[in-house]
Amino acid sequence: MAKTDFTRDQTINIAVKIGKILLKSGAETYRVEDTISRCCLVHGYEVDPFVTPTVIILGNEDTDSFIRVSRIGYRSTNLSLISEMNTMSYNFHKWDKSYEETCAWLEKKWRQPAPYGKWAVCLASGIGSAAFAAMLGGNSHDFIAAFVTGGMAMVVLKQIAGYHPSAFWENAIAGVAIGAVALLCCAMSVQCTMEKIIVGALMPFVPGVPFCNGLRDYMAGNLMSGNSRIAEALLFASSIAIGIAFVLRVWFIWGWDLWK
Amino acid sequence: MEMITAFFFASLATMAFAILFQAPKKIVLIDGIIGAIGWVVFIYLRHELGYTSFVSNFTATISLALASELSSRIFKQPVTVFVIPGIVPLVPGLGIYQGMFAIINNDYNNGTSILLTAMTDSVAIAIGVMLVSSLFRVIKVRRFMLQYRRSKRQMEMKVKGKK
């Protein structure tokens, strides 16, 4: 229950590190701002954070003030890291590690890999797609086809992500994979319905999370980050739509009568 | 029977999405139950009672957001961990796909109306989540301000003691 006293610079360093980890794992902007100001307030320092999805700016109103700027390049969704950081910031008023230990701990959290590996994520994507196809009233053929399609699309996306293209191209190529595999499945079995397979396989890539986070940012009063998150969601949605539409369009133009 | 099947598949889908979003391991099962609650409420209102899509989505989201606020108090986790996988079954993927499919077939009238329906549905989901979370935020902020005042008073006492 012993609480270490940090100096002003140390507190702000720790707060910026926590904010970076939260923003990188896809937390809402108001949560990042709230965490940073909470961590500084429990040590008696008042700061004004300004956070958008790509940058954290810290400062305050004093004349001998400071300014910290840090940029976040690549973001993903990692709920377990958000949960750990949240627990830490709630326990910050009785934090008993020294400054160096805290920094090392945060650095470890920044570097540590996600709790589920690449192949577990691909399998989960397949299972989620299959369950969605069943929820929309598909039969057993749709279930299996959606499993293959969703898993395959995620494998393609993960393999491409190693080359670091832009997010737009990753999603567009995943969309091409969804369209192509779904068409192949329909060609193989007569009982498959194109619609259910594609909707099921689409669900892991639909940007519901950024969209919902953006609207929650609006509600909390962060208009700028709400705008940019919704723009991001629209970009992802249109890229996946372009990928699928490309394949379906090619199929229409060539006029293959695969599933009727 | 239909409801049990819907519950099972919705919880399966939500658990898969919880893994996709890297949720903590002990939370995945709870996420599945919360997502299934939302989906079953939606199915019941939409198909049994015949309400509009907006109202069903709104009510389903409010019920799952309340469930996730409750479990975030029980399991000491942030609400986001429960809400984000929980709303996934309600996201209107079918509407987005059908609208897009109609538009690439040059059926702009149908496509636009279906896409607009999908948009209102997602707005209903977002409003439901925001309503519940801002309601609970009021309570949380008050408790934090009390704690902050106490710690500030302690700091002032410490400074006085040093002098």
Side-chain angles (χ1 to χ4, degrees), chain A residues 31 38 79-80 83 215 249, chain B residues 22 77 80 104 126 130 144:
Chain A
R31 183 181 297 281
R38 185 192 296 268
L79 293 179
S80 54
S83 144
L215 286 172
R249 197 69 218 169
Chain B
Q22 313 279 358
Q77 300 278 345
T80 325
I104 64 168
M130 288 188 300
F144 173 66

Side-chain angles (χ1 to χ4, degrees), chain A residues 67-137:
Chain A
I67 184 156
R68 295 291 165 89
V69 181
S70 69
R71 276 281 281 165
I72 308 294
Y74 181 74
R75 293 182 305 284
S76 56
T77 310
N78 189 341
L79 293 179
S80 54
L81 214 48
I82 294 179
S83 144
E84 279 177 36
M85 287 301 118
N86 198 60
T87 319
M88 185 211 166
S89 87
Y90 270 97
N91 294 327
F92 203 58
H93 63 279
K94 48 180 182 184
W95 191 250
D96 53 358
K97 287 181 181 168
S98 72
Y99 173 66
E100 283 78 18
E101 278 173 1
T102 315
C103 279
W105 187 76
L106 287 173
E107 190 68 21
K108 203 182 90 192
K109 292 287 168 205
W110 172 264
R111 301 242 172 261
Q112 83 175 10
Y116 304 97
K118 197 164 95 178
W119 298 108
V121 166
C122 294
L123 190 66
S125 164
I127 293 172
S129 309
F132 259 103
M135 269 161 68
L136 299 169

Side-chain angles (χ1 to χ4, degrees), chain A residues 93, chain B residues 145-155:
Chain A
H93 63 279
Chain B
M145 284 318 285
L146 287 178
Q147 191 192 27
Y148 165 59
R149 277 190 207 123
R150 197 168 62 231
S151 83
K152 203 174 180 184
R153 217 178 301 134
Q154 282 171 357
M155 291 287 280

Side-chain angles (χ1 to χ4, degrees), chain A residues 148-165:
Chain A
V148 173
T149 313
M152 206 55 138
M154 191 52 95
V155 169
V156 167
L157 187 126
K158 289 284 173 190
Q159 293 299 333
I160 287 170
Y163 297 104
H164 298 291

